[in-house]
Amino acid sequence: MTFNFAMQAIDHIINSAAKTNYMSAGQISVPIVFRGPNGAAAGVAAQHSQCFAAWYGSCPGLKVLSPYSAEDARGLLKAAIRDPDPVVFLENEILYGEAFPVSAEVLDPSFVLPIGKAKIEREGTDVTVTAFSKMVGYALKAAEILEKEGINVEVINLRSIRPLDRATINQSVRKTNRLVTVEEGWPQHGIGAEICTSVVEESFDYLDAPVERITGADVPMPYAANLERMAVPQIEDIVRAVKRACSRSARGK
């Protein structure tokens, strides 16, 4: 029902599915998709609210995808099913009830998205914000708020966690000169940390401000609704981080 239960099968996913192709010298492929809800839902406490993007994203032999929109879900799931390697497909339960505009191109039977390619959901010039899954929507809403204050935000929907589209991220940062990463998972060894490293390695000279990371709190997820809200990133957190990156005043700085 959720990816939290994948921990009961993690040996099969990590030690069998992810390694069989390598250990058989390429003779055996494992075309399997592990699909399910990932990350925080609402009111389901610590054991059912974890984000597994960084867990599986660190493992060679796996591909890890995390859709945001209906377009992402359709195109990436088809790509995952057709791929010869094991794919971990991380959805978000909250997004199941959200409606998205869908073009005729997306509805075409031949529509499929490439694995390993991010999408620029919103073009901007002042700061790059990277996000995946539900946090893409939060980043877009934050960008609308910031636009009214004269800050032009570029929002990148990662789509693919492994392989990570480092080229698109670095190209964007070289244009905007600032970076804010957003994710629901814990801060240590997270997706944002990997993105920060990539930018420091490849685009450090282009940065005009320290990289800002927005993550979930470094605690097990609380059950109480008020504490739960404090433990996951909110739109206002992204707004404050972008303002800090752009050297604008931000409450709570």
Side-chain angles (χ1 to χ4, degrees), residues 80-237:
I81 292 169
R82 296 175 182 182
D83 198 90
D85 296 316
V87 179
V88 174
F89 200 84
L90 303 173
E91 301 171 359
N92 187 282
E93 188 175 338
I94 303 298
L95 292 177
Y96 288 159
E98 191 166 333
F100 294 91
V102 177
S103 66
E105 178 188 5
V106 174
L107 292 174
D108 189 282
S110 63
F111 178 77
V112 66
L113 290 171
I115 291 175
K117 183 64 178 174
K119 179 186 179 183
I120 297 178
E121 294 281 353
R122 188 183 195 277
E123 292 192 357
T125 56
D126 295 330
V127 57
T128 298
V129 175
T130 64
F132 61 95
S133 191
K134 185 175 71 173
M135 290 295 107
V136 176
Y138 282 31
L140 290 170
K141 290 175 182 176
E144 292 176 5
I145 294 169
L146 290 159
E147 185 177 29
K148 297 174 183 177
E149 301 186 31
I151 301 176
N152 194 351
V153 179
E154 180 148 296
V155 177
I156 297 179
N157 172 6
L158 295 177
R159 283 181 168 170
S160 180
I161 305 301
R162 186 182 183 106
L164 187 65
D165 189 356
R166 302 170 193 272
T168 294
I169 296 167
N170 278 279
Q171 184 178 6
S172 176
V173 170
R174 292 182 182 197
K175 177 179 69 173
T176 66
N177 310 117
R178 297 173 182 86
L179 173 65
V180 176
T181 70
V182 186
E183 63 186 306
E184 281 189 302
W186 295 310
Q188 188 157 323
H189 310 306
I191 304 303
E194 180 65 25
I195 291 172
C196 291
T197 300
S198 175
V199 169
V200 167
E201 289 174 345
E202 300 180 39
S203 305
F204 180 77
D205 289 341
Y206 292 84
L207 288 171
D208 287 343
V211 176
E212 295 276 349
R213 279 197 303 157
I214 304 297
T215 70
D218 198 20
V219 297
M221 181 65 72
Y223 177 70
N226 60 327
L227 297 179
E228 180 185 64
R229 189 180 190 281
M230 295 171 64
V232 294
Q234 302 297 326
I235 295 168
E236 54 266 31
D237 297 323

Side-chain angles (χ1 to χ4, degrees), residues 17-40:
K19 296 179 173 66
T20 295
N21 184 262
Y22 174 80
M23 296 180 71
S24 68
Q27 296 180 76
I28 302 173
S29 61
V30 185
I32 184 171
V33 179
F34 301 99
R35 170 183 173 241
N38 173 69

Side-chain angles (χ1 to χ4, degrees), residues 51-101:
C51 177
F52 287 87
W55 292 51
Y56 291 113
S58 67
C59 181
L62 292 177
K63 293 176 181 174
V64 183
L65 306 178
S66 189
Y68 159 62
S69 64
E71 174 184 325
D72 292 355
R74 177 175 170 82
L76 292 175
L77 186 57
K78 288 175 69 175
I81 292 169
R82 296 175 182 182
D83 198 90
D85 296 316
V87 179
V88 174
F89 200 84
L90 303 173
E91 301 171 359
N92 187 282
E93 188 175 338
I94 303 298
L95 292 177
Y96 288 159
E98 191 166 333
F100 294 91

